[in-house]
Amino acid sequence: MTDRHDPARGGPPLARRVLLATLGAGAAALAAAPVLRGGWESAVAAISRNDPTGLSGLLPGPGGFRYFSVAGSVPERTAADYRLEIGGLVERPRAYTLADLRALPQTRVVGDVTCTDGWQVPGAAFSGVLLSHLLDRAGVRAQGGAVRFTCFDGVYSESLTLDQARRPDVLVALDLMDAPLGHDRGGPVRLYVAPMYFYKSAKWLSGITVTEQVVPGYWEEYGYDVDGWLDRRA
Ligand SMILES: Nc1nc2c(c(=O)[nH]1)N[C@H]1C(S)=C(S)[C@@H](COP(=O)(O)O)O[C@H]1N2
Ligand SMILES: [Mo]
């Protein structure tokens, strides 16, 4: 068995999901089936929002998205105080402001957002700077083999191999449906990794570090696939 959470395999019906979300906040949930980890994810999101019923993580938010944060509260960053630091194994480390990022060539990527919990947002349009463009500007050194992402929530992290990071459908996203990303969606800047489960798309992005090898991210420490492909043939 793999650690994938393929919705095509079918999850429990909604009522059971609610129950799992309520009861799943224990170590047993981590050791159990992938479906239970979906419940765990809901439970963490719900607890972090101070909702003991576990229901809020199951309700669709604006545009069909559901709010997830493993951090209890996340500071807001504005155009004045937002910075994205790019460093690690690069020739030219630097910090970008939001205006710097907006001044770079913008790319629009449309994908079907899919969470391992089973919810989907078809045809989500994210726009921003290609990650490959930022990596080229920074100049990846010969030893660089992977990219690690850190977030200003102070908790979440993700990673991609350099090959994955250079795909033309991987964005440092500033807009969703042609409007600036709001705080709940991970704004002002989040990652959008279109070909992978949405847990790869780190919200509140604040750091991009080129490393030698992949460093497993937050959910990957709990058993999620480091390669979060929606479709293995991608
Ligand atoms: N910083 C941060 N990024 C994150 C997460 C998180 O908890 N913290 N959750 C991930 C998961 S599991 C999902 S499904 C999506 C949820 O994004 P949304 O809240 O915009 O729907 O963000 C991903 N990126
Ligand atoms: Mo998720």
Side-chain angles (χ1 to χ4, degrees):
M1 192 175 80
T2 74
D3 286 317
R4 283 168 64 85
H5 305 259
D6 193 341
R9 277 199 211 126
L14 188 63
R16 203 172 140 241
R17 276 186 187 282
V18 173
L19 191 66
L20 290 174
T22 310
L23 300 179
L30 294 179
V35 157
L36 270 173
R37 291 210 196 91
W40 166 256
E41 185 178 323
S42 296
V44 169
I47 288 165
S48 70
R49 300 182 75 200
N50 237 339
D51 171 13
T53 66
L55 283 165
S56 63
L58 297 161
L59 299 173
F65 287 84
R66 292 164 205 216
Y67 178 86
F68 273 116
S69 173
V70 298
S73 70
V74 181
E76 304 231 358
R77 289 275 191 279
T78 65
D81 56 15
Y82 177 78
R83 294 291 181 280
L84 176 61
E85 305 262 359
I86 304 194
L89 298 170
V90 297
E91 303 291 347
R92 295 172 292 278
R94 68 163 283 182
Y96 288 86
T97 65
L98 204 50
D100 293 335
L101 293 171
R102 292 238 173 241
L104 294 173
Q106 305 288 301
T107 300
R108 198 168 186 264
V109 174
V110 181
D112 297 335
V113 157
T114 307
C115 169
T116 56
D117 258 9
W119 56 272
Q120 250 197 336
V121 181
F126 287 90
S127 317
V129 184
L130 281 175
L131 178 57
S132 66
H133 186 64
L134 291 175
L135 292 172
D136 287 346
R137 288 175 64 97
V140 175
R141 293 197 188 165
Q143 318 95 281
V147 186
R148 174 170 160 80
F149 307 96
T150 46
C151 307
F152 62 79
D153 62 11
V155 187
Y156 206 73
S157 62
E158 255 304 335
S159 63
L160 292 170
T161 67
L162 206 50
D163 284 350
Q164 292 166 356
R166 289 203 155 119
R167 287 177 58 107
D169 50 5
V170 176
L171 278 186
V172 170
L174 311 172
D175 291 336
L176 172 61
M177 303 316 251
D178 305 308
L181 269 174
H183 179 75
D184 278 6
R185 289 287 77 71
V189 179
R190 83 180 289 165
L191 198 65
Y192 180 50
V193 184
M196 296 191 181
Y197 279 101
F198 208 29
Y199 67 87
K200 300 296 292 188
S201 296
K203 300 167 72 170
W204 307 301
L205 185 65
S206 58
I208 296 178
T209 309
V210 176
T211 56
E212 266 181 60
Q213 290 180 345
V214 163
V215 179
Y218 182 92
W219 282 115
E220 291 142 20
E221 297 286 354
Y222 291 95
Y224 277 45
D225 255 4
V226 174
D227 292 320
W229 298 115
L230 287 166
D231 177 344
R232 270 180 217 273
R233 293 160 298 174

PDB file of all heavy atoms in Angstrom, residues 85-93 131 134-136 138-150 160-162 165-166 207-215:
ATOM      1  N   GLU A  85      12.397  35.346   0.297  1.00  0.00           N
ATOM      2  CA  GLU A  85      13.862  35.178   0.305  1.00  0.00           C
ATOM      3  C   GLU A  85      14.234  33.959  -0.532  1.00  0.00           C
ATOM      4  O   GLU A  85      13.740  32.851  -0.280  1.00  0.00           O
ATOM      5  CB  GLU A  85      14.357  34.912   1.736  1.00  0.00           C
ATOM      6  CG  GLU A  85      13.947  35.969   2.746  1.00  0.00           C
ATOM      7  CD  GLU A  85      15.050  36.980   3.010  1.00  0.00           C
ATOM      8  OE1 GLU A  85      16.146  36.843   2.407  1.00  0.00           O
ATOM      9  OE2 GLU A  85      14.803  37.900   3.809  1.00  0.00           O
ATOM     10  N   ILE A  86      15.136  34.163  -1.480  1.00  0.00           N
ATOM     11  CA  ILE A  86      15.612  33.040  -2.293  1.00  0.00           C
ATOM     12  C   ILE A  86      17.092  32.858  -2.004  1.00  0.00           C
ATOM     13  O   ILE A  86      17.875  33.806  -2.124  1.00  0.00           O
ATOM     14  CB  ILE A  86      15.347  33.297  -3.789  1.00  0.00           C
ATOM     15  CG1 ILE A  86      13.847  33.563  -3.972  1.00  0.00           C
ATOM     16  CG2 ILE A  86      15.825  32.098  -4.621  1.00  0.00           C
ATOM     17  CD1 ILE A  86      13.353  33.513  -5.384  1.00  0.00           C
ATOM     18  N   GLY A  87      17.442  31.647  -1.562  1.00  0.00           N
ATOM     19  CA  GLY A  87      18.832  31.421  -1.165  1.00  0.00           C
ATOM     20  C   GLY A  87      19.208  29.955  -1.234  1.00  0.00           C
ATOM     21  O   GLY A  87      18.639  29.187  -1.983  1.00  0.00           O
ATOM     22  N   GLY A  88      20.202  29.592  -0.435  1.00  0.00           N
ATOM     23  CA  GLY A  88      20.719  28.229  -0.491  1.00  0.00           C
ATOM     24  C   GLY A  88      21.787  28.117  -1.570  1.00  0.00           C
ATOM     25  O   GLY A  88      22.612  29.034  -1.725  1.00  0.00           O
ATOM     26  N   LEU A  89      21.726  27.037  -2.340  1.00  0.00           N
ATOM     27  CA  LEU A  89      22.773  26.760  -3.318  1.00  0.00           C
ATOM     28  C   LEU A  89      22.531  27.535  -4.616  1.00  0.00           C
ATOM     29  O   LEU A  89      22.267  26.971  -5.682  1.00  0.00           O
ATOM     30  CB  LEU A  89      22.833  25.257  -3.595  1.00  0.00           C
ATOM     31  CG  LEU A  89      23.186  24.387  -2.374  1.00  0.00           C
ATOM     32  CD1 LEU A  89      22.985  22.910  -2.678  1.00  0.00           C
ATOM     33  CD2 LEU A  89      24.629  24.658  -1.951  1.00  0.00           C
ATOM     34  N   VAL A  90      22.595  28.866  -4.494  1.00  0.00           N
ATOM     35  CA  VAL A  90      22.410  29.738  -5.660  1.00  0.00           C
ATOM     36  C   VAL A  90      23.542  30.759  -5.727  1.00  0.00           C
ATOM     37  O   VAL A  90      24.166  31.069  -4.710  1.00  0.00           O
ATOM     38  CB  VAL A  90      21.048  30.481  -5.628  1.00  0.00           C
ATOM     39  CG1 VAL A  90      19.892  29.497  -5.681  1.00  0.00           C
ATOM     40  CG2 VAL A  90      20.941  31.384  -4.400  1.00  0.00           C
ATOM     41  N   GLU A  91      23.766  31.284  -6.909  1.00  0.00           N
ATOM     42  CA  GLU A  91      24.823  32.282  -7.103  1.00  0.00           C
ATOM     43  C   GLU A  91      24.408  33.657  -6.572  1.00  0.00           C
ATOM     44  O   GLU A  91      25.233  34.420  -6.111  1.00  0.00           O
ATOM     45  CB  GLU A  91      25.148  32.433  -8.603  1.00  0.00           C
ATOM     46  CG  GLU A  91      25.559  31.155  -9.321  1.00  0.00           C
ATOM     47  CD  GLU A  91      26.920  30.648  -8.860  1.00  0.00           C
ATOM     48  OE1 GLU A  91      27.644  31.396  -8.175  1.00  0.00           O
ATOM     49  OE2 GLU A  91      27.250  29.486  -9.193  1.00  0.00           O
ATOM     50  N   ARG A  92      23.110  33.972  -6.710  1.00  0.00           N
ATOM     51  CA  ARG A  92      22.645  35.324  -6.406  1.00  0.00           C
ATOM     52  C   ARG A  92      21.437  35.297  -5.476  1.00  0.00           C
ATOM     53  O   ARG A  92      20.312  35.513  -5.917  1.00  0.00           O
ATOM     54  CB  ARG A  92      22.270  36.045  -7.713  1.00  0.00           C
ATOM     55  CG  ARG A  92      23.447  36.283  -8.661  1.00  0.00           C
ATOM     56  CD  ARG A  92      23.017  36.817 -10.009  1.00  0.00           C
ATOM     57  NE  ARG A  92      22.264  35.844 -10.799  1.00  0.00           N
ATOM     58  CZ  ARG A  92      22.826  34.878 -11.535  1.00  0.00           C
ATOM     59  NH1 ARG A  92      24.146  34.777 -11.609  1.00  0.00           N
ATOM     60  NH2 ARG A  92      22.071  34.028 -12.201  1.00  0.00           N
ATOM     61  N   PRO A  93      21.663  35.044  -4.175  1.00  0.00           N
ATOM     62  CA  PRO A  93      20.531  35.076  -3.243  1.00  0.00           C
ATOM     63  C   PRO A  93      19.955  36.495  -3.184  1.00  0.00           C
ATOM     64  O   PRO A  93      20.694  37.467  -3.346  1.00  0.00           O
ATOM     65  CB  PRO A  93      21.159  34.683  -1.894  1.00  0.00           C
ATOM     66  CG  PRO A  93      22.623  34.859  -2.049  1.00  0.00           C
ATOM     67  CD  PRO A  93      22.948  34.785  -3.509  1.00  0.00           C
ATOM     68  N   LEU A 131       8.224  29.480 -11.165  1.00  0.00           N
ATOM     69  CA  LEU A 131       9.312  29.165 -10.229  1.00  0.00           C
ATOM     70  C   LEU A 131      10.624  29.008 -10.994  1.00  0.00           C
ATOM     71  O   LEU A 131      11.680  29.448 -10.530  1.00  0.00           O
ATOM     72  CB  LEU A 131       8.959  27.891  -9.443  1.00  0.00           C
ATOM     73  CG  LEU A 131      10.004  27.401  -8.468  1.00  0.00           C
ATOM     74  CD1 LEU A 131      10.383  28.463  -7.436  1.00  0.00           C
ATOM     75  CD2 LEU A 131       9.513  26.131  -7.771  1.00  0.00           C
ATOM     76  N   LEU A 134      12.387  32.297 -11.429  1.00  0.00           N
ATOM     77  CA  LEU A 134      13.071  32.773 -10.220  1.00  0.00           C
ATOM     78  C   LEU A 134      14.357  31.978  -9.983  1.00  0.00           C
ATOM     79  O   LEU A 134      15.375  32.542  -9.563  1.00  0.00           O
ATOM     80  CB  LEU A 134      12.139  32.668  -9.009  1.00  0.00           C
ATOM     81  CG  LEU A 134      10.950  33.629  -9.022  1.00  0.00           C
ATOM     82  CD1 LEU A 134      10.032  33.343  -7.839  1.00  0.00           C
ATOM     83  CD2 LEU A 134      11.432  35.095  -8.971  1.00  0.00           C
ATOM     84  N   LEU A 135      14.307  30.684 -10.256  1.00  0.00           N
ATOM     85  CA  LEU A 135      15.513  29.857 -10.073  1.00  0.00           C
ATOM     86  C   LEU A 135      16.590  30.265 -11.077  1.00  0.00           C
ATOM     87  O   LEU A 135      17.774  30.352 -10.728  1.00  0.00           O
ATOM     88  CB  LEU A 135      15.165  28.374 -10.225  1.00  0.00           C
ATOM     89  CG  LEU A 135      14.274  27.801  -9.115  1.00  0.00           C
ATOM     90  CD1 LEU A 135      13.829  26.383  -9.462  1.00  0.00           C
ATOM     91  CD2 LEU A 135      14.998  27.816  -7.767  1.00  0.00           C
ATOM     92  N   ASP A 136      16.185  30.554 -12.318  1.00  0.00           N
ATOM     93  CA  ASP A 136      17.156  30.987 -13.319  1.00  0.00           C
ATOM     94  C   ASP A 136      17.788  32.317 -12.925  1.00  0.00           C
ATOM     95  O   ASP A 136      18.998  32.509 -13.072  1.00  0.00           O
ATOM     96  CB  ASP A 136      16.491  31.121 -14.689  1.00  0.00           C
ATOM     97  CG  ASP A 136      16.164  29.772 -15.313  1.00  0.00           C
ATOM     98  OD1 ASP A 136      16.695  28.749 -14.803  1.00  0.00           O
ATOM     99  OD2 ASP A 136      15.382  29.733 -16.279  1.00  0.00           O
ATOM    100  N   ALA A 138      18.212  33.371  -9.945  1.00  0.00           N
ATOM    101  CA  ALA A 138      19.086  33.160  -8.788  1.00  0.00           C
ATOM    102  C   ALA A 138      20.362  32.406  -9.188  1.00  0.00           C
ATOM    103  O   ALA A 138      21.396  32.537  -8.527  1.00  0.00           O
ATOM    104  CB  ALA A 138      18.338  32.393  -7.710  1.00  0.00           C
ATOM    105  N   GLY A 139      20.284  31.616 -10.248  1.00  0.00           N
ATOM    106  CA  GLY A 139      21.456  30.849 -10.685  1.00  0.00           C
ATOM    107  C   GLY A 139      21.739  29.663  -9.784  1.00  0.00           C
ATOM    108  O   GLY A 139      22.523  29.760  -8.828  1.00  0.00           O
ATOM    109  N   VAL A 140      21.085  28.544 -10.065  1.00  0.00           N
ATOM    110  CA  VAL A 140      21.257  27.341  -9.241  1.00  0.00           C
ATOM    111  C   VAL A 140      22.673  26.794  -9.424  1.00  0.00           C
ATOM    112  O   VAL A 140      23.144  26.642 -10.550  1.00  0.00           O
ATOM    113  CB  VAL A 140      20.200  26.276  -9.619  1.00  0.00           C
ATOM    114  CG1 VAL A 140      20.454  24.975  -8.865  1.00  0.00           C
ATOM    115  CG2 VAL A 140      18.791  26.802  -9.324  1.00  0.00           C
ATOM    116  N   ARG A 141      23.329  26.527  -8.316  1.00  0.00           N
ATOM    117  CA  ARG A 141      24.690  25.975  -8.383  1.00  0.00           C
ATOM    118  C   ARG A 141      24.668  24.501  -8.768  1.00  0.00           C
ATOM    119  O   ARG A 141      23.648  23.826  -8.617  1.00  0.00           O
ATOM    120  CB  ARG A 141      25.377  26.112  -7.031  1.00  0.00           C
ATOM    121  CG  ARG A 141      25.635  27.547  -6.683  1.00  0.00           C
ATOM    122  CD  ARG A 141      26.655  27.650  -5.577  1.00  0.00           C
ATOM    123  NE  ARG A 141      26.735  29.034  -5.140  1.00  0.00           N
ATOM    124  CZ  ARG A 141      27.302  29.417  -4.023  1.00  0.00           C
ATOM    125  NH1 ARG A 141      27.836  28.519  -3.207  1.00  0.00           N
ATOM    126  NH2 ARG A 141      27.331  30.682  -3.698  1.00  0.00           N
ATOM    127  N   ALA A 142      25.813  24.007  -9.184  1.00  0.00           N
ATOM    128  CA  ALA A 142      25.902  22.631  -9.688  1.00  0.00           C
ATOM    129  C   ALA A 142      25.450  21.598  -8.661  1.00  0.00           C
ATOM    130  O   ALA A 142      24.852  20.583  -9.021  1.00  0.00           O
ATOM    131  CB  ALA A 142      27.334  22.341 -10.134  1.00  0.00           C
ATOM    132  N   GLN A 143      25.673  21.871  -7.365  1.00  0.00           N
ATOM    133  CA  GLN A 143      25.286  20.880  -6.333  1.00  0.00           C
ATOM    134  C   GLN A 143      23.786  20.877  -6.064  1.00  0.00           C
ATOM    135  O   GLN A 143      23.280  19.997  -5.388  1.00  0.00           O
ATOM    136  CB  GLN A 143      25.979  21.140  -4.989  1.00  0.00           C
ATOM    137  CG  GLN A 143      27.438  21.510  -5.046  1.00  0.00           C
ATOM    138  CD  GLN A 143      27.607  23.019  -5.014  1.00  0.00           C
ATOM    139  OE1 GLN A 143      27.433  23.694  -6.037  1.00  0.00           O
ATOM    140  NE2 GLN A 143      27.947  23.570  -3.852  1.00  0.00           N
ATOM    141  N   GLY A 144      23.062  21.894  -6.540  1.00  0.00           N
ATOM    142  CA  GLY A 144      21.637  22.018  -6.252  1.00  0.00           C
ATOM    143  C   GLY A 144      20.848  20.901  -6.904  1.00  0.00           C
ATOM    144  O   GLY A 144      20.995  20.640  -8.098  1.00  0.00           O
ATOM    145  N   GLY A 145      19.984  20.235  -6.115  1.00  0.00           N
ATOM    146  CA  GLY A 145      19.178  19.146  -6.665  1.00  0.00           C
ATOM    147  C   GLY A 145      17.707  19.216  -6.279  1.00  0.00           C
ATOM    148  O   GLY A 145      16.884  18.469  -6.802  1.00  0.00           O
ATOM    149  N   ALA A 146      17.376  20.115  -5.356  1.00  0.00           N
ATOM    150  CA  ALA A 146      16.001  20.177  -4.862  1.00  0.00           C
ATOM    151  C   ALA A 146      15.720  21.590  -4.362  1.00  0.00           C
ATOM    152  O   ALA A 146      16.634  22.415  -4.216  1.00  0.00           O
ATOM    153  CB  ALA A 146      15.786  19.165  -3.740  1.00  0.00           C
ATOM    154  N   VAL A 147      14.437  21.861  -4.133  1.00  0.00           N
ATOM    155  CA  VAL A 147      14.026  23.176  -3.661  1.00  0.00           C
ATOM    156  C   VAL A 147      13.129  22.989  -2.449  1.00  0.00           C
ATOM    157  O   VAL A 147      12.209  22.166  -2.457  1.00  0.00           O
ATOM    158  CB  VAL A 147      13.264  23.937  -4.771  1.00  0.00           C
ATOM    159  CG1 VAL A 147      12.967  25.361  -4.316  1.00  0.00           C
ATOM    160  CG2 VAL A 147      14.059  23.954  -6.059  1.00  0.00           C
ATOM    161  N   ARG A 148      13.414  23.748  -1.405  1.00  0.00           N
ATOM    162  CA  ARG A 148      12.624  23.681  -0.174  1.00  0.00           C
ATOM    163  C   ARG A 148      11.872  24.997  -0.002  1.00  0.00           C
ATOM    164  O   ARG A 148      12.419  26.076  -0.252  1.00  0.00           O
ATOM    165  CB  ARG A 148      13.562  23.449   1.004  1.00  0.00           C
ATOM    166  CG  ARG A 148      12.909  23.491   2.368  1.00  0.00           C
ATOM    167  CD  ARG A 148      13.908  23.010   3.418  1.00  0.00           C
ATOM    168  NE  ARG A 148      13.531  23.445   4.750  1.00  0.00           N
ATOM    169  CZ  ARG A 148      12.605  22.850   5.505  1.00  0.00           C
ATOM    170  NH1 ARG A 148      11.964  21.792   5.053  1.00  0.00           N
ATOM    171  NH2 ARG A 148      12.328  23.312   6.703  1.00  0.00           N
ATOM    172  N   PHE A 149      10.619  24.891   0.413  1.00  0.00           N
ATOM    173  CA  PHE A 149       9.757  26.062   0.582  1.00  0.00           C
ATOM    174  C   PHE A 149       9.407  26.228   2.052  1.00  0.00           C
ATOM    175  O   PHE A 149       9.040  25.251   2.721  1.00  0.00           O
ATOM    176  CB  PHE A 149       8.476  25.893  -0.239  1.00  0.00           C
ATOM    177  CG  PHE A 149       8.749  25.568  -1.673  1.00  0.00           C
ATOM    178  CD1 PHE A 149       8.750  24.253  -2.110  1.00  0.00           C
ATOM    179  CD2 PHE A 149       9.057  26.572  -2.580  1.00  0.00           C
ATOM    180  CE1 PHE A 149       9.043  23.936  -3.430  1.00  0.00           C
ATOM    181  CE2 PHE A 149       9.350  26.272  -3.900  1.00  0.00           C
ATOM    182  CZ  PHE A 149       9.351  24.946  -4.328  1.00  0.00           C
ATOM    183  N   THR A 150       9.528  27.440   2.554  1.00  0.00           N
ATOM    184  CA  THR A 150       9.127  27.726   3.930  1.00  0.00           C
ATOM    185  C   THR A 150       8.103  28.860   3.913  1.00  0.00           C
ATOM    186  O   THR A 150       7.974  29.581   2.915  1.00  0.00           O
ATOM    187  CB  THR A 150      10.337  28.078   4.810  1.00  0.00           C
ATOM    188  OG1 THR A 150      11.161  29.021   4.114  1.00  0.00           O
ATOM    189  CG2 THR A 150      11.167  26.837   5.116  1.00  0.00           C
ATOM    190  N   LEU A 160      10.338  20.247  -3.572  1.00  0.00           N
ATOM    191  CA  LEU A 160      10.240  19.647  -4.910  1.00  0.00           C
ATOM    192  C   LEU A 160      11.646  19.300  -5.351  1.00  0.00           C
ATOM    193  O   LEU A 160      12.617  19.930  -4.910  1.00  0.00           O
ATOM    194  CB  LEU A 160       9.657  20.652  -5.913  1.00  0.00           C
ATOM    195  CG  LEU A 160       8.191  21.075  -5.745  1.00  0.00           C
ATOM    196  CD1 LEU A 160       7.885  22.245  -6.680  1.00  0.00           C
ATOM    197  CD2 LEU A 160       7.239  19.913  -6.021  1.00  0.00           C
ATOM    198  N   THR A 161      11.771  18.309  -6.240  1.00  0.00           N
ATOM    199  CA  THR A 161      13.055  18.112  -6.888  1.00  0.00           C
ATOM    200  C   THR A 161      13.259  19.282  -7.851  1.00  0.00           C
ATOM    201  O   THR A 161      12.288  19.964  -8.230  1.00  0.00           O
ATOM    202  CB  THR A 161      13.102  16.798  -7.691  1.00  0.00           C
ATOM    203  OG1 THR A 161      12.193  16.911  -8.794  1.00  0.00           O
ATOM    204  CG2 THR A 161      12.729  15.597  -6.829  1.00  0.00           C
ATOM    205  N   LEU A 162      14.486  19.502  -8.271  1.00  0.00           N
ATOM    206  CA  LEU A 162      14.756  20.606  -9.185  1.00  0.00           C
ATOM    207  C   LEU A 162      14.008  20.403 -10.500  1.00  0.00           C
ATOM    208  O   LEU A 162      13.467  21.368 -11.069  1.00  0.00           O
ATOM    209  CB  LEU A 162      16.268  20.697  -9.416  1.00  0.00           C
ATOM    210  CG  LEU A 162      16.826  22.050  -9.810  1.00  0.00           C
ATOM    211  CD1 LEU A 162      16.364  23.161  -8.900  1.00  0.00           C
ATOM    212  CD2 LEU A 162      18.351  21.977  -9.851  1.00  0.00           C
ATOM    213  N   ALA A 165      10.485  21.367  -9.929  1.00  0.00           N
ATOM    214  CA  ALA A 165      10.399  22.818  -9.707  1.00  0.00           C
ATOM    215  C   ALA A 165      10.492  23.587 -11.023  1.00  0.00           C
ATOM    216  O   ALA A 165       9.970  24.703 -11.135  1.00  0.00           O
ATOM    217  CB  ALA A 165      11.498  23.269  -8.757  1.00  0.00           C
ATOM    218  N   ARG A 166      11.139  23.009 -12.020  1.00  0.00           N
ATOM    219  CA  ARG A 166      11.341  23.711 -13.296  1.00  0.00           C
ATOM    220  C   ARG A 166      10.215  23.478 -14.286  1.00  0.00           C
ATOM    221  O   ARG A 166      10.250  23.974 -15.402  1.00  0.00           O
ATOM    222  CB  ARG A 166      12.681  23.285 -13.902  1.00  0.00           C
ATOM    223  CG  ARG A 166      13.863  23.824 -13.143  1.00  0.00           C
ATOM    224  CD  ARG A 166      15.096  23.891 -14.024  1.00  0.00           C
ATOM    225  NE  ARG A 166      16.022  24.900 -13.545  1.00  0.00           N
ATOM    226  CZ  ARG A 166      17.257  24.637 -13.139  1.00  0.00           C
ATOM    227  NH1 ARG A 166      17.706  23.400 -13.156  1.00  0.00           N
ATOM    228  NH2 ARG A 166      18.030  25.611 -12.732  1.00  0.00           N
ATOM    229  N   GLY A 207      10.042  31.632   1.861  1.00  0.00           N
ATOM    230  CA  GLY A 207      11.416  31.221   1.583  1.00  0.00           C
ATOM    231  C   GLY A 207      11.501  30.142   0.513  1.00  0.00           C
ATOM    232  O   GLY A 207      10.697  29.204   0.505  1.00  0.00           O
ATOM    233  N   ILE A 208      12.464  30.321  -0.375  1.00  0.00           N
ATOM    234  CA  ILE A 208      12.769  29.307  -1.392  1.00  0.00           C
ATOM    235  C   ILE A 208      14.258  29.033  -1.261  1.00  0.00           C
ATOM    236  O   ILE A 208      15.075  29.941  -1.446  1.00  0.00           O
ATOM    237  CB  ILE A 208      12.434  29.826  -2.808  1.00  0.00           C
ATOM    238  CG1 ILE A 208      10.920  30.090  -2.939  1.00  0.00           C
ATOM    239  CG2 ILE A 208      12.914  28.848  -3.874  1.00  0.00           C
ATOM    240  CD1 ILE A 208      10.511  30.657  -4.305  1.00  0.00           C
ATOM    241  N   THR A 209      14.602  27.814  -0.876  1.00  0.00           N
ATOM    242  CA  THR A 209      15.997  27.472  -0.609  1.00  0.00           C
ATOM    243  C   THR A 209      16.411  26.296  -1.482  1.00  0.00           C
ATOM    244  O   THR A 209      15.786  25.231  -1.417  1.00  0.00           O
ATOM    245  CB  THR A 209      16.167  27.071   0.880  1.00  0.00           C
ATOM    246  OG1 THR A 209      15.586  28.076   1.698  1.00  0.00           O
ATOM    247  CG2 THR A 209      17.639  26.915   1.239  1.00  0.00           C
ATOM    248  N   VAL A 210      17.441  26.497  -2.279  1.00  0.00           N
ATOM    249  CA  VAL A 210      17.943  25.387  -3.087  1.00  0.00           C
ATOM    250  C   VAL A 210      18.841  24.518  -2.205  1.00  0.00           C
ATOM    251  O   VAL A 210      19.747  25.022  -1.533  1.00  0.00           O
ATOM    252  CB  VAL A 210      18.689  25.891  -4.338  1.00  0.00           C
ATOM    253  CG1 VAL A 210      19.295  24.722  -5.113  1.00  0.00           C
ATOM    254  CG2 VAL A 210      17.730  26.683  -5.241  1.00  0.00           C
ATOM    255  N   THR A 211      18.525  23.216  -2.185  1.00  0.00           N
ATOM    256  CA  THR A 211      19.252  22.259  -1.357  1.00  0.00           C
ATOM    257  C   THR A 211      19.841  21.170  -2.256  1.00  0.00           C
ATOM    258  O   THR A 211      19.522  21.097  -3.442  1.00  0.00           O
ATOM    259  CB  THR A 211      18.301  21.599  -0.328  1.00  0.00           C
ATOM    260  OG1 THR A 211      17.209  21.002  -1.030  1.00  0.00           O
ATOM    261  CG2 THR A 211      17.745  22.625   0.653  1.00  0.00           C
ATOM    262  N   GLU A 212      20.675  20.324  -1.649  1.00  0.00           N
ATOM    263  CA  GLU A 212      21.231  19.228  -2.443  1.00  0.00           C
ATOM    264  C   GLU A 212      20.178  18.174  -2.728  1.00  0.00           C
ATOM    265  O   GLU A 212      20.059  17.648  -3.824  1.00  0.00           O
ATOM    266  CB  GLU A 212      22.397  18.581  -1.678  1.00  0.00           C
ATOM    267  CG  GLU A 212      23.742  19.160  -2.068  1.00  0.00           C
ATOM    268  CD  GLU A 212      24.888  18.497  -1.326  1.00  0.00           C
ATOM    269  OE1 GLU A 212      25.046  17.269  -1.465  1.00  0.00           O
ATOM    270  OE2 GLU A 212      25.592  19.225  -0.610  1.00  0.00           O
ATOM    271  N   GLN A 213      19.416  17.828  -1.660  1.00  0.00           N
ATOM    272  CA  GLN A 213      18.421  16.777  -1.772  1.00  0.00           C
ATOM    273  C   GLN A 213      17.097  17.250  -1.212  1.00  0.00           C
ATOM    274  O   GLN A 213      17.044  18.227  -0.459  1.00  0.00           O
ATOM    275  CB  GLN A 213      18.880  15.546  -0.983  1.00  0.00           C
ATOM    276  CG  GLN A 213      20.064  14.878  -1.663  1.00  0.00           C
ATOM    277  CD  GLN A 213      20.548  13.657  -0.909  1.00  0.00           C
ATOM    278  OE1 GLN A 213      20.196  13.456   0.260  1.00  0.00           O
ATOM    279  NE2 GLN A 213      21.338  12.858  -1.571  1.00  0.00           N
ATOM    280  N   VAL A 214      16.044  16.505  -1.564  1.00  0.00           N
ATOM    281  CA  VAL A 214      14.711  16.835  -1.070  1.00  0.00           C
ATOM    282  C   VAL A 214      14.659  16.678   0.450  1.00  0.00           C
ATOM    283  O   VAL A 214      15.128  15.683   1.003  1.00  0.00           O
ATOM    284  CB  VAL A 214      13.658  15.915  -1.734  1.00  0.00           C
ATOM    285  CG1 VAL A 214      12.353  15.928  -0.955  1.00  0.00           C
ATOM    286  CG2 VAL A 214      13.414  16.353  -3.179  1.00  0.00           C
ATOM    287  N   VAL A 215      14.127  17.696   1.116  1.00  0.00           N
ATOM    288  CA  VAL A 215      13.862  17.640   2.553  1.00  0.00           C
ATOM    289  C   VAL A 215      12.347  17.439   2.703  1.00  0.00           C
ATOM    290  O   VAL A 215      11.580  18.278   2.260  1.00  0.00           O
ATOM    291  CB  VAL A 215      14.272  18.968   3.236  1.00  0.00           C
ATOM    292  CG1 VAL A 215      13.980  18.920   4.729  1.00  0.00           C
ATOM    293  CG2 VAL A 215      15.727  19.287   2.961  1.00  0.00           C
TER     294      VAL A 215
END
